[in-house]
Amino acid sequence: MNSVSAAAGSARQGDMLMSRYAEFYRRSVDDPEGFWAEQARLIDWKSPPQQTLDASRPPFARWFVGGTTNLCHNAVDRHLARRGDQRALIFVSTETGVEKSYSFKELHAEVQRVAASLMELGVGKGDRVLIYMPMVPEAAFAMLACARIGAIHCVVFGGFASGSLASRIEDATPKVIVSADAGSRGNKVLAYKPLLDEAIRLSSHKPDAVLLFDRGLAPMALTEGRDHLASALMERHRDVEVPCVWLDATDISYTLYTSGTTGKPKGVQRDTGGYAVALAASMQHIFDGRAGESYFSTSDIGWVVGHSYIVYGPLIAGMATLMYEGLPTQGLDQQPDGGIWWRLVEKYRVTVMFSAPTAVRVLKKQDPALLKKYDLSSLRALFLAGEPLDEPTGRWISEGLGVPIIDNYWQTESGWPILTVANGVERTRSKFGSPGIPMYGFKVKILDETTGDELTGANEKGVVVIEGPTPPGFMQTVWRDDERFVNTYWKGVPGKLVYSTFDWGIRDADGYFYILGRTDDVINVAGHRLGTREIEESISGHANVAEVAVVGVADALKGQVAMAFVVPKDGAAVADEKMALHLEGEIMKRVSDDLGALARPARVRFVAALPKTRSGKLLRRAIQAVCEQRDPGDLTTIDDPSTLQQIKNLL
């Protein structure tokens, strides 16, 4: 075939492939009941659904009404016959030097022991169990045990401050709390038990019992009659059999509090059947994960990614899931190792990996040769989410690994990706800077925030919204507060009952979305609204910028001005004033050229590191508060307090 006809053939094939996902998506939004009835076949049902969708009370959507199923059965039991001896859970802790694998049979046994222990403490169907745990296998056992017996788990990020934990205990009203003596990060032990004891003291709700896993990292004072060591209970139930409790598809599986919640915590409530189907479908269509393979998500079980893609999603798909405790730059011998993740990809033949742009930026500072040191031929794709992926970081890791880097955009509320590409349906190119296109089931639109009109042109900026009915796996409501669910999420756009993501976005001519930052992270400079994300994107394109955070700071003249904090690739700019001034000038000019003089930051400050949570999210609100000489509030989840102190010292 000559080059011209080869190109034409390739173009025709491209059109055919593009139409495959387009048709798949169209069916999902035009005929949601038919589409999702097909997807429901990906899981086991005790009794099949009688009605695929009940959307009679918008904005509430009830999926697979009348069907009964169980998340633990779908994640563990149904694999026992075919792959009982295959790896199900791989645990690696560079904090304690532990590396251990559990087969599906072994996982099944451990989950039943924890389930029996919870039942002995009085937990039954519909009871709440709050889980306050580090990244250890027992945390996954506890989640699966709750799912097994029909209890509702509420995982709170390990190490959360007592006040924050107390407010969640009060809202969730758990019968039992599951915790551990301590967690560890960067070889620093954080004792959980004193934090938990204080939280229970502060809370008006008191649990009946506390189930404690002792790792031997910190001493634990036990409260008589309330506290129980898991080792003793689990030993009593060594060979126990605990059958799955079959739940209605619309029964609650868990609640999870949104990060950064101010005031009364907002518990995102998830169903059982819809969530199981959504995860099974996403593992096939989005992540292209296959039974018998290994999946590695570097997130934490305290966040939604940990729920969906450390615990439930990979196991439902029959994959081994790798659970990691530690930094991305520390080896099992507790010595510096910027290649530890790639070492694990090679060892466990990981095919699908999920991480965050922040983690990649940390690795960007390591020797690039580490990306070529290990055999990564098993890896098909690296998925990144949690915050926008800037183009320079995306290109760096793409060239280093030589695999597709797939951005994806979603929220605690959605449960699974809203925007990405579905390579399991058809190979679709990613665009750096864009999380992708709407996923099946999500009717994503961009609306004018003041008029509610839909913006259909290329690069028109508006609020990213989702039209109901929302797909399976999406939040049912706010825990015990339907009114708050409606008022918070569905009344943000005048005259329209649509779910607001609270994010600005644009759509390009090819239909790819770009997220420009939170609608509440908008800087109003002299009446001009500017998204912090747009300014960060411009700055991150400078060759000497490793990381950047832009915040809006109150200004007597302009209302607000942009302030940029940059981690330079050449660390000398942090200490060398002359070099810093020169680099600041270059960055200012770049922003002016890209976005106009109005978007130019008032100052660009250089720091060694940016303040982040332990899960890698930038603490923009805390930076803004320090800039405005306000109290930054609860900093429990900050990874390194000195990073915020450095900003204070600069100002």
Side-chain angles (χ1 to χ4, degrees), residues 459-538:
N459 303 315
E460 290 187 285
K461 179 179 168 183
V463 182
V464 179
V465 304
I466 300 165
E467 279 190 352
T470 48
F474 204 87
M475 73 184 293
Q476 289 175 294
T477 185
V478 170
W479 166 250
R480 288 179 167 165
D481 202 339
D482 286 354
E483 188 180 355
R484 190 177 184 195
F485 171 64
V486 176
N487 289 337
T488 300
Y489 293 107
W490 293 88
K491 291 192 172 176
V493 179
K496 295 279 178 78
L497 189 69
V498 289
Y499 172 90
S500 175
T501 64
F502 300 106
D503 278 312
W504 296 113
I506 59 171
R507 185 198 301 102
D508 71 11
D510 297 326
Y512 284 72
F513 282 68
Y514 294 75
I515 302 299
L516 305 177
R518 298 289 287 174
T519 54
D520 46 10
D521 276 345
V522 168
I523 303 174
N524 198 326
V525 181
H528 294 265
R529 297 166 74 82
L530 304 166
T532 55
R533 174 79 185 108
E534 294 162 285
I535 302 171
E536 286 173 354
E537 188 77 32
S538 173

Side-chain angles (χ1 to χ4, degrees), residues 36 39-45 63-64 68-75 78 147 246-254 270-284 307-309 312-317 414-416 440 471-474:
W36 287 107
Q39 303 307 314
R41 296 176 196 146
L42 295 171
I43 71 161
D44 282 1
W45 297 90
W63 286 96
F64 308 115
T68 56
T69 188
N70 183 285
L71 272 171
C72 184
H73 167 85
N74 278 286
R78 72 168 175 159
W246 298 103
L247 302 176
D248 286 343
T250 53
D251 281 345
I252 305 166
S253 61
Y254 69 79
R270 192 92 61 214
D271 71 0
T272 299
Y275 187 53
V277 171
L279 293 184
S282 71
M283 289 302 299
Q284 181 171 312
H307 284 54
S308 295
Y309 299 114
Y312 292 114
L315 292 175
I316 286 171
S414 74
W416 57 285
Y440 50 92
F474 204 87

Side-chain angles (χ1 to χ4, degrees), residues 294-296 322 344-345 348-353 378-380:
S294 300
Y295 190 105
F296 180 15
L322 202 159
L344 295 174
V345 168
Y348 294 106
R349 306 302 294 156
V350 171
T351 55
V352 186
M353 189 170 173
S378 64
L379 193 64
R380 284 197 295 272

Side-chain angles (χ1 to χ4, degrees), residues 434-454:
S434 165
I437 57 179
M439 285 298 92
Y440 50 92
F442 285 105
K443 289 185 269 189
V444 187
K445 299 196 168 175
I446 294 178
L447 302 186
D448 184 286
E449 58 157 338
T450 51
T451 66
D453 294 339
E454 185 179 356

